[in-house]
Amino acid sequence: MTDRTPLQRLADHGQSVWLDYIRRDLMETGELAQMVRDGLRGMTSNPSIFQKAIAGSDQYDDDLLRLLADDPDAEASVLFERLAISDIQMAADEFASVYEATDGGDGFVSLEVSPHLAHDTEGTIAEARRLWSAVDRPNLMIKVPATPAGIPAIEELISGGINVNVTLMFSLGHYEAVAHAYLRGLDRAPDPSRVASVASFFVSRVDSAVDAELAKLGDEILTELGGKVAVSNSKVTYARFQQLFGDDFEAMWGRGAFPQRVLWASTSTKNPAYSDVLYVEELIGPHTVNTLPPATLAAFADHGEVRPDALCEGVDEAHEVLDRLALEGIDLIAVTERLQDEGVQAFIDSYDDLLEAIDHKRSSL
């Protein structure tokens, strides 16, 4: 019997690995199909990823020419959406076997609503419904940011049977709001067994922001707390997930509902002084997803250690780290609110850059 891959061993312990990347040649060359056979169980996309894929290669030029031949005056946003939907459909079809094997519990591919709608509840709901219909795949997840305007949109979409990947969460407060929106939506859903969701909790960006604040306080404090806050923040949030989706969720389990898994996002290590698999090894636990960019996925496959239930280790110490941070005068809530605002703006900038690049390609082609 051959050895199981690292991704398969993570799945044995209740964690799915998704690829935080999409590009057309992954599907066309069979590379994605091989990754699925090796244990990959889903895929995420965002405006930044599509910006790099479409603007940074010529793989989409032929399709863009065909689209322009049919509609020379099409807006750049329409052209992007048609290109993106085609990629998402191909990827979803690659993961259909995972979706079927898990009875609709895994094998999802995510497509984000326009980041310009991050503060528009009704606009988010309308676009999510439109994209859900246009892609027409049961294993699609629509990405919605966990902004104050996004929270009611999440509840409404879940209640209508639309799978949601909630993104740009950085704090326990963000998570609480998202989890309760999911639970309210499930309670209203006619058939909760036909809807799924993940709560994407961002990790490395927290350390980057907090470490910058710690550095102002001196090397000693930075040495003590540097690189520890993001994992501590994640472990405390996962403990809350266990409470919300434990015994109190039993009635929903009986109706066939899935818990809203926590998804660890932003898991590439930004600080070269830290392990390149820090945010993988420390965040292993049941009912979770870790979405990895290609470099981090390759690093974990090469030298990562599978430590079952790592998320449940050192939870008391995680609380102590966060308490110490507060004693040092660093307001984690303020930091994470800023990170969410910056995340929304970064996606808007990437989206706008992408549309500009498409217009440039239109002219050059």
Side-chain angles (χ1 to χ4, degrees):
M1 180 178 177
T2 58
D3 291 337
R4 292 179 67 71
T5 68
L7 303 193
Q8 290 166 342
R9 287 188 284 128
L10 285 176
D12 292 340
H13 298 293
Q15 182 172 77
S16 296
V17 172
W18 293 1
L19 181 66
D20 191 28
Y21 184 72
I22 191 169
R23 202 172 67 182
R24 184 158 297 178
D25 61 340
L26 287 178
M27 287 76 76
E28 292 180 339
T29 63
E31 184 177 354
L32 182 58
Q34 181 59 53
M35 295 172 80
V36 173
R37 288 192 290 272
D38 289 340
L40 191 71
R41 296 166 71 89
M43 176 180 275
T44 51
S45 69
N46 60 46
S48 299
I49 289 172
F50 271 118
Q51 195 271 340
K52 293 173 184 175
I54 296 175
S57 76
D58 59 3
Q59 295 181 28
Y60 298 82
D61 291 359
D62 288 344
D63 273 0
L64 191 55
L65 278 170
R66 282 192 289 271
L67 291 171
L68 288 170
D70 291 338
D71 186 359
D73 298 321
E75 296 284 341
S77 59
V78 173
L79 295 171
F80 158 63
E81 186 175 297
R82 290 174 181 170
L83 294 173
I85 285 174
S86 178
D87 277 12
I88 294 293
Q89 287 174 326
M90 285 191 288
D93 291 343
E94 293 287 358
F95 286 102
S97 61
V98 178
Y99 181 77
E100 292 163 4
T102 57
D103 294 325
D106 214 337
F108 293 99
V109 179
S110 299
L111 176 63
E112 191 151 349
V113 297
S114 167
H116 285 285
L117 298 171
H119 305 298
D120 180 351
T121 300
E122 294 305 318
T124 295
I125 293 170
E127 175 146 321
R129 287 172 174 163
R130 185 177 59 78
L131 291 174
W132 176 260
S133 177
V135 175
D136 192 26
R137 297 294 189 275
N139 56 332
L140 172 70
M141 276 192 172
I142 301 294
K143 290 182 80 172
V144 175
T147 56
I151 299 301
I154 294 159
E155 177 183 345
E156 182 64 23
L157 295 171
I158 292 296
S159 72
I162 293 177
N163 304 321
V164 180
N165 177 343
V166 187
T167 187
L168 291 176
M169 297 163 45
F170 295 87
S171 69
L172 179 60
H174 293 161
Y175 173 72
E176 288 266 7
V178 167
H180 285 295
Y182 175 68
L183 290 169
R184 291 193 301 269
L186 270 189
D187 195 51
R188 293 170 49 201
D191 183 1
S193 69
R194 304 309 303 167
V195 64
S197 179
V198 293
S200 294
F201 198 82
F202 281 54
V203 187
S204 66
R205 295 189 198 180
V206 173
D207 268 344
S208 296
V210 171
D211 284 1
E213 297 299 317
L214 291 170
K216 299 174 185 177
L217 302 178
D219 291 342
E220 183 178 346
I221 297 300
L222 179 59
T223 300
E224 289 182 27
L225 296 180
K228 296 179 180 178
V229 173
V231 169
S232 297
N233 191 38
S234 301
K235 288 188 175 185
V236 168
T237 298
Y238 181 71
R240 183 61 178 136
F241 158 81
Q242 290 177 306
Q243 293 172 343
L244 288 171
F245 293 94
D247 293 341
D248 291 344
F249 194 67
E250 188 172 346
M252 279 297 178
W253 278 109
R255 295 179 62 192
F258 296 102
Q260 184 188 48
R261 291 178 295 170
V262 180
L263 179 150
W264 309 118
S266 181
T267 50
S268 61
T269 307
K270 306 297 189 289
N271 188 331
Y274 304 153
S275 165
D276 58 356
V277 291
L278 171 65
Y279 305 120
V280 188
E281 292 181 338
E282 294 295 329
L283 301 178
I284 299 171
H287 302 300
T288 60
V289 178
N290 202 323
T291 179
L292 307 179
T296 307
L297 181 63
F300 186 75
D302 178 66
H303 54 265
E305 180 184 353
V306 177
R307 288 170 36 224
D309 299 323
L311 275 167
C312 299
E313 300 170 1
V315 177
D316 290 341
E317 290 84 350
H319 282 284
E320 291 171 4
V321 167
L322 300 186
D323 289 344
R324 174 71 189 282
L325 191 70
L327 286 174
E328 295 297 336
I330 296 178
D331 185 346
L332 185 58
I333 293 177
V335 170
T336 53
E337 289 302 314
R338 186 183 80 239
L339 284 171
Q340 187 181 77
D341 291 340
E342 291 173 353
V344 170
Q345 188 58 51
F347 281 162
I348 288 174
D349 292 343
S350 293
Y351 182 80
D352 290 346
D353 288 346
L354 170 59
L355 299 190
E356 184 178 338
I358 288 176
D359 276 331
H360 179 73
K361 276 182 176 283
R362 180 208 303 267
S363 300
S364 62
L365 291 174

